[in-house]
Amino acid sequence: MTRRLVHVGIAFLVIYGLLFFRLEMVQIFGARNLREHPQNTLEITLDFDAPRGAIRTADGETIAQTVAVKGARNRLRQYPYGSLYSHVVGFISAEHGGAGIERSHNDFLAGNDLSVRIQDNRDLFVDQARTGQLELSIRHDVQLVTRAAMAGHLGAAVVLEPASGSVWGMWSTPNFDPNHLSSHDLRAAATDFSALDSDGAQPLTNRVEYHSVEIGSLFTILTAAAAIESNLHDISVPATTSFPASQSSPAITNRDSNACGGTIESLMVNVCRSGWAAIGQEIGREPMQDISDRFGLVGGDPLRTGNALRGDRNQTELSPSAAHAAVGTAMELTPLQVAHLFATIANNGSRIQPRLVEQVRAHDGSVIHDFEPNVLNQSISKETAAKLLGLLSENVKTGSAQGLALSAVPVAGMSASRFSGSNHLWMVALAPVTRPEVVVAVLLEGDGSDDQDTAEATVAAITRRITEAVLRLPSSNLGGS
Amino acid sequence: MNNQRVVELTLLLLAAFITLATVAVAAVAADVRVEWSAIPYLAALLLLWGVSHLSLRKWAPTANGLLFPIAALLQGLGVAFVLRIDPDLLLRHLVWSLFATVGFIAVLAGLRDLSQLRKLQTPLGLIGLVCISIPVILKISRGEVDSYPSFQFGSVAIEPSHMGILCLVIFFGAWLANYRSRNTAEYLGEADRLDGDPSRFIPLIGAWLIISVVVIFQNNMSSAFVLAAIFLSMWWVAVGRPIDLAFFAAAVVGSVLLTIDSVPEFQSRFDAWVDPWSNSQFSEAISRSSFALAQGGLTGTGPGEGSADWVPGATDQFAFVPIAEELGFMGGTAVLSSYLLLAGVGLRLATAARKEFESLLAVGIAIFFASQAWAAIAVPLRFLPPSDLSLPFVASNGSALFTCTIALALLLRVSETVPIIPDRTQILPRIAFKSRGTA
């Protein structure tokens, strides 16, 4: 009996040993992964009613702040502009954690970050609530212009400054009012959250960063770049109505079965899909894969501004067939990625990480962290970039993007649309051509009832309106920089 | 004059100090309002510990001095970490602590000889069966699944399930002791002759039926684990037929597998276990427990700095989480070790007990504590699917505290019949190895 008692003792030692081991895995070795788990809202929930720094735009508007209130909790997070910045700042909620900058930069806002907590020597000895204030690259005036231009349309628009990678405007519809989610009425907040969460139109998703859509003909700018780099810039293809792509894949046809061909310039202004496919076949898939890699479109991490929001942004792949790859089949990008691509061309081929947060400031306004423009790589040579810009400029003068033309300033741009199944239209504008100061990318998603020509005119009008308004804004509004 | 009581008093003072210190540290932690109402409560709790200690001096002067302080420390941790989360529970918990102390003293004073308990074998077995089968009756009459059905008397909820398990432990102990006295071949060195008695199948089948009822009608894997662990341990110690146990284990696993397929709620508990990141009814508590534990890390966030009620059920079935979060891996390890020590002392007593019933009772109670603690901690650590089992002595569940305190009193009563351990350092089952040759 004693011997068997020992067995029982050993058995329990073993199963307790498993608990020790597992506890160690969770608390020590696996703790980092768990703390960074996307569903882990513990930290931000703990910070829900703690002191919290404000978030300001580049031109000094406060777009998120914590105010003192009377009640069970004595601080309330407010978003003075409601849904205008919902996809930029996100929200903080007692039960659902947070999203957007509120979540991704929580450590600075709540003062968990050491550099924020210890602002001067005295802070080493006195436990004071120190918080960080965030200054964004977003400009209130640009954001207002973007919202006004997009009114009544489903989609996303992003305004980028090519030289610094600063995001000036970021707008996505449908959206939500973060004030409802940060409410102290937890029951109402939970109801609102589950309504937003289950809405089929996905108002919680920031489409600028987290919604990948096929870019189609927009990719031909990279095909052109690959052709120029392969010393094929003088190539001319015969006029055809379609290009018979290899094996099982369908032929690549032109819109309305137009016959087109000629030089790269002529292909660009005519959106000649069959011609681009022929060029793709000619240069092969490798150079296109290579240039996509240099632009960071495939293979690497998708682009981030550090604005953690939800959505279905997926890794994209170049089509295996060179002809299909050349016309952008299956190449899915987010509006931010598209704007970033054209901003790189506008910035002489130097690729700069888009940024949303520019500075973290202390309570007295001094700068704790400065997020400088981050140059990722030189994607293409200056000469190639200038040639591509010339193509885009010609495209506005005589080609498919004529709707972008402004009277005072020369504009370059490009469009792409898909009108089968779920419709969407892309439009990108770069202005002024001589030295682009702004890149605007617009994505419209329709329901299929619109006529294609009308829809293209609409997206061109929206993009032109944003571009024109941004160029007219007094740049002295830029407070910090 | 009495070493055991001196050890007990010293350790009890240490447990009181740890409890008060943690409450104080938590109270001064940032942004936590000092709960002044907790002070009279703490005073009352320490008073109850003192009364229990004095009653041990009077009615069980030579009982083991380690058991009560371990239980007191665990209860103190419960007050410091778990009840702080919801101060509304304090008063109810105090009432239950009072009941538990009264029951503790009643067992010590009233039950001077454990053979009295052995005579109550049949009624206790029946009570145990009734308590365990209450869920079946509720299920049939109300049509709802309730892991721990309770009866509300004013603000006090009584859950009969824990008490049922303890009654069954006593019943099994008595039955197995009778079985062994009828088949004493082991003492003659002819262990094989134990096989001849077919009545051993009665408790095997009975235990399988009880566990199946718990699984099917309570959907409670943790309770099933506790019952199976207790039964397997006692049976192995008393009878020791591996073949029978293998069949038993296979039958239990069979019941569980069948239930997974046929009971949707049990299925959803299993799904939450396999994938706690999905958003289902049970998964949130599991995933949040993992996050809270990870937040604690090696040394913890510090008392009062944890996530409090962010983990659903943190005051009861997930009571381990706030402790391991705020004290970290080190605190969690200390809690685990306390239960291991409790079980170790119990098993050590079982090897030294003079009578077989007392020995089997000690095994049963030791495993009652160890398996309950294991099963309750295994849920947040994802070893078992989510179910409602209170952490012994720590959880705010007063009914469970009452049962555990009664079980502790029984174990102390067993320890009093054991000759005083000559060397107090040998408290772990190490002694069992030494006595192997002589038993």
Side-chain angles (χ1 to χ4, degrees):
Chain A
M1 203 164 147
T2 307
R3 191 164 47 87
R4 294 200 294 260
L5 267 169
V6 175
H7 297 163
V8 172
I10 290 172
F12 267 82
L13 271 181
V14 169
I15 65 168
Y16 266 78
L18 289 174
L19 281 193
F20 283 115
F21 176 72
R22 177 78 190 143
L23 189 63
E24 182 177 297
M25 291 308 293
V26 171
Q27 291 209 279
I28 298 173
F29 294 111
R32 206 179 145 163
N33 283 342
L34 283 168
R35 276 184 221 135
E36 288 166 5
H37 195 281
Q39 282 180 20
N40 191 346
T41 53
L42 170 56
E43 207 156 319
I44 193 163
T45 306
L46 287 182
D47 291 332
F48 175 62
D49 50 3
R52 193 170 180 84
I55 303 178
R56 297 203 174 81
T57 60
D59 41 358
E61 291 291 328
T62 301
I63 57 177
Q65 62 187 355
T66 294
V67 296
V69 290
K70 288 198 176 108
R73 302 169 188 264
N74 39 23
R75 291 182 204 89
L76 176 66
R77 192 69 168 166
Q78 280 184 342
Y79 304 94
Y81 293 98
S83 61
L84 179 59
Y85 290 102
S86 53
H87 288 132
V88 178
V89 293
F91 62 86
I92 178 167
S93 129
E95 290 187 350
H96 303 287
I101 284 176
E102 289 277 32
R103 174 151 179 201
S104 60
H105 289 70
N106 181 49
D107 279 353
F108 293 119
L109 289 165
N112 300 338
D113 188 88
L114 262 191
S115 61
V116 175
R117 176 166 288 183
I118 315 293
Q119 295 185 356
D120 55 45
N121 292 339
R122 216 177 48 229
D123 290 348
L124 287 172
F125 308 104
V126 186
D127 191 14
Q128 242 172 321
R130 292 292 199 204
T131 60
Q133 329 265 335
L134 295 185
E135 192 176 298
L136 306 187
S137 62
I138 295 273
R139 288 169 52 179
H140 186 60
D141 47 7
V142 174
Q143 188 76 358
L144 285 175
V145 161
T146 313
R147 175 171 73 174
M150 288 287 287
H153 298 283
L154 186 73
V158 56
V159 183
L160 213 59
E161 185 191 36
S164 64
S166 293
V167 179
W168 279 353
M170 182 189 257
W171 177 254
S172 162
T173 46
N175 40 48
F176 60 95
D177 185 346
N179 286 311
H180 293 312
L181 302 179
S182 68
S183 159
H184 283 181
D185 182 350
L186 299 187
R187 193 163 300 165
T191 314
D192 278 3
F193 182 83
S194 52
L196 290 169
D197 197 29
S198 55
D199 189 331
Q202 297 182 309
L204 288 174
T205 299
N206 176 10
R207 283 152 196 266
V208 172
E209 276 194 79
Y210 288 84
H211 185 51
S212 300
V213 174
E214 188 176 279
I215 60 166
S217 305
L218 286 186
F219 189 83
T220 58
I221 191 73
L222 293 187
T223 311
I228 291 167
E229 288 193 340
S230 313
N231 284 322
L232 289 171
H233 51 273
D234 294 328
I235 192 173
S236 180
V237 292
T240 50
T241 56
S242 73
F243 182 84
S246 58
Q247 294 117 29
S248 55
S249 47
I252 295 161
T253 54
N254 294 326
R255 187 170 165 196
D256 303 335
S257 301
N258 289 334
C260 59
T263 60
I264 286 179
E265 200 164 289
S266 137
L267 297 180
M268 171 66 72
V269 297
N270 292 318
V271 198
C272 184
R273 281 163 49 85
S274 62
W276 286 116
I279 288 185
Q281 194 78 322
E282 178 71 27
I283 58 180
R285 192 172 173 277
E286 277 312 304
M288 284 186 285
Q289 175 75 51
D290 182 45
I291 202 147
S292 307
D293 285 345
R294 277 184 274 144
F295 274 92
L297 301 185
V298 290
D301 250 353
L303 214 54
R304 287 202 184 94
T305 61
N307 179 12
L309 267 163
R310 14 203 296 148
D312 58 347
R313 181 178 55 178
N314 43 349
Q315 280 259 330
T316 191
E317 294 271 337
L318 211 58
S319 169
S321 129
H324 280 284
V327 293
T329 308
M331 171 62 80
E332 295 186 346
L333 296 181
T334 64
L336 181 69
Q337 282 176 301
V338 166
H340 171 68
L341 193 165
F342 284 90
T344 306
I345 296 171
N347 198 38
N348 297 322
S350 167
R351 196 159 77 90
I352 296 174
Q353 172 83 36
R355 60 182 182 147
L356 205 48
V357 180
E358 296 202 328
Q359 285 171 338
V360 180
R361 289 173 185 266
H363 63 289
D364 57 1
S366 60
V367 176
I368 301 176
H369 272 281
D370 207 343
F371 298 97
E372 297 281 338
N374 176 18
V375 181
L376 297 170
N377 63 337
Q378 184 74 30
S379 300
I380 45 172
S381 68
K382 279 185 184 179
E383 294 70 33
T384 311
K387 280 178 184 157
L388 295 179
L389 205 53
L391 282 178
L392 293 171
S393 168
E394 192 58 34
N395 197 27
V396 173
K397 279 184 205 150
T398 60
S400 61
Q402 287 180 37
L404 290 176
L406 297 174
S407 51
V409 190
V411 180
M414 201 171 178
S415 70
S417 55
R418 195 176 98 163
F419 256 74
S420 59
S422 61
N423 301 345
H424 62 254
L425 299 105
W426 285 101
M427 184 64 96
V428 187
L430 301 80
V433 169
T434 41
R435 194 173 162 278
E437 287 166 15
V438 60
V439 172
V440 179
V442 174
L443 168 69
L444 281 199
E445 294 179 289
D447 53 6
S449 60
D450 286 343
D451 166 59
Q452 185 165 358
D453 291 322
T454 322
E456 278 173 358
T458 308
V459 71
I462 291 172
T463 315
R464 189 186 64 231
R465 217 179 131 186
I466 297 175
T467 313
E468 184 176 20
V470 170
L471 288 174
R472 271 196 197 153
L473 290 171
S475 51
S476 58
N477 269 5
L478 288 173
S481 54
Chain B
M1 67 149 208
N2 189 330
N3 279 334
Q4 292 292 331
R5 297 281 75 76
V6 173
V7 170
E8 184 174 271
L9 184 60
T10 317
L11 292 177
L12 211 48
L13 288 173
L14 192 63
F17 172 75
I18 293 174
T19 305
L20 293 176
T22 353
V23 172
V25 171
V28 297
D31 269 7
V32 172
R33 276 174 295 136
V34 180
E35 287 292 342
W36 295 109
S37 60
I39 289 175
Y41 172 78
L42 282 171
L45 186 73
L46 296 187
L47 188 70
L48 289 178
W49 289 359
V51 170
S52 301
H53 173 69
L54 289 178
S55 62
L56 277 169
R57 282 190 180 254
K58 179 156 172 57
W59 285 297
T62 59
N64 188 289
L66 268 175
L67 290 170
F68 186 68
I70 298 175
L73 176 66
L74 289 167
Q75 201 187 348
L77 285 179
V79 172
F81 288 96
V82 178
L83 289 177
R84 191 195 67 234
I85 294 172
D86 186 0
D88 295 345
L89 294 171
L90 276 174
L91 186 65
R92 205 178 311 164
H93 195 257
L94 181 62
V95 172
W96 270 112
S97 304
L98 186 68
F99 284 167
T101 308
V102 170
F104 183 82
I105 295 169
V107 169
L108 288 180
L111 192 71
R112 307 307 297 274
D113 183 358
L114 282 165
S115 58
Q116 292 169 278
L117 198 62
R118 194 174 169 180
K119 287 181 194 133
L120 293 174
Q121 175 190 356
T122 317
L124 282 173
L126 286 174
I127 292 173
L129 274 182
V130 169
C131 289
I132 292 285
S133 50
I134 282 173
V136 186
I137 300 159
L138 289 182
K139 169 96 177 170
I140 291 164
S141 62
R142 283 198 243 154
E144 61 191 39
V145 174
D146 196 343
S147 301
Y148 269 101
S150 61
F151 297 100
Q152 206 75 27
F153 294 101
S155 67
V156 177
I158 294 177
E159 298 173 4
S161 304
H162 299 100
M163 212 54 195
I165 295 179
L166 183 60
C167 290
L168 286 178
V169 168
I170 301 169
F171 172 79
F172 277 147
W175 193 93
L176 289 169
N178 286 341
Y179 178 83
R180 279 180 64 87
S181 63
R182 272 184 278 128
N183 303 272
T184 50
E186 201 186 41
Y187 289 115
L188 305 172
E190 296 170 54
D192 286 351
R193 278 179 51 192
L194 272 172
D195 302 351
D197 190 346
S199 69
R200 70 175 188 279
F201 289 115
I202 297 169
L204 272 177
I205 294 169
W208 172 67
L209 284 175
I210 290 171
I211 292 170
S212 300
V213 162
V214 167
V215 170
I216 296 168
F217 290 97
Q218 291 184 305
N219 294 335
N220 195 327
M221 266 302 282
S222 300
S223 278
F225 170 82
V226 169
L227 280 167
I230 292 172
F231 184 76
L232 281 171
S233 308
M234 292 174 77
W235 177 272
W236 176 249
V237 170
V239 181
R241 293 240 320 150
I243 296 277
D244 288 0
L245 288 184
F247 275 118
F248 174 77
V252 169
V253 171
S255 306
V256 171
L257 291 180
L258 277 179
T259 316
I260 294 177
D261 275 347
S262 51
V263 180
E265 170 163 343
F266 202 48
Q267 170 84 58
S268 64
R269 283 175 189 266
F270 260 83
D271 290 346
W273 178 43
V274 175
D275 178 18
W277 318 122
S278 69
N279 279 317
S280 73
Q281 184 190 354
F282 299 103
S283 63
E284 189 179 54
I286 305 289
S287 58
R288 287 191 171 185
S289 295
S290 299
F291 296 146
L293 288 172
Q295 192 73 18
L298 179 65
T299 52
T301 58
E305 307 268 14
S307 55
D309 57 354
W310 189 67
V311 177
T315 57
D316 196 3
Q317 62 265 42
F318 289 102
F320 178 72
V321 176
I323 300 181
E325 183 192 359
E326 297 188 354
L327 294 183
F329 176 69
M330 300 197 311
T333 309
V335 171
L336 280 173
S337 308
S338 304
Y339 287 111
L340 212 45
L341 194 60
L342 203 58
V345 173
L347 290 178
R348 157 76 188 84
L349 292 172
T351 64
R354 289 196 187 125
K355 293 178 184 166
E356 296 210 324
F357 170 63
E358 289 166 4
S359 181
L360 288 167
L361 188 63
V363 176
I365 292 174
I367 303 306
F368 176 73
F369 290 141
S371 59
Q372 272 196 80
W374 192 90
I377 296 171
V379 171
L381 292 181
R382 285 182 67 203
F383 272 122
L384 284 178
S387 46
D388 315 330
L389 188 71
S390 309
L391 194 58
F393 299 110
V394 175
S396 62
N397 184 331
S399 197
L401 174 70
F402 179 80
T403 311
C404 287
T405 312
I406 299 293
L408 185 75
L410 291 174
L411 198 54
L412 281 162
R413 179 51 77 203
V414 172
S415 77
E416 224 221 353
T417 67
V418 170
I420 292 175
I421 310 162
D423 180 359
R424 279 198 311 278
T425 59
Q426 297 186 348
I427 43 174
L428 288 174
R430 195 169 78 85
I431 242 175
F433 288 102
K434 274 171 72 178
S435 57
R436 179 188 283 189
T438 55

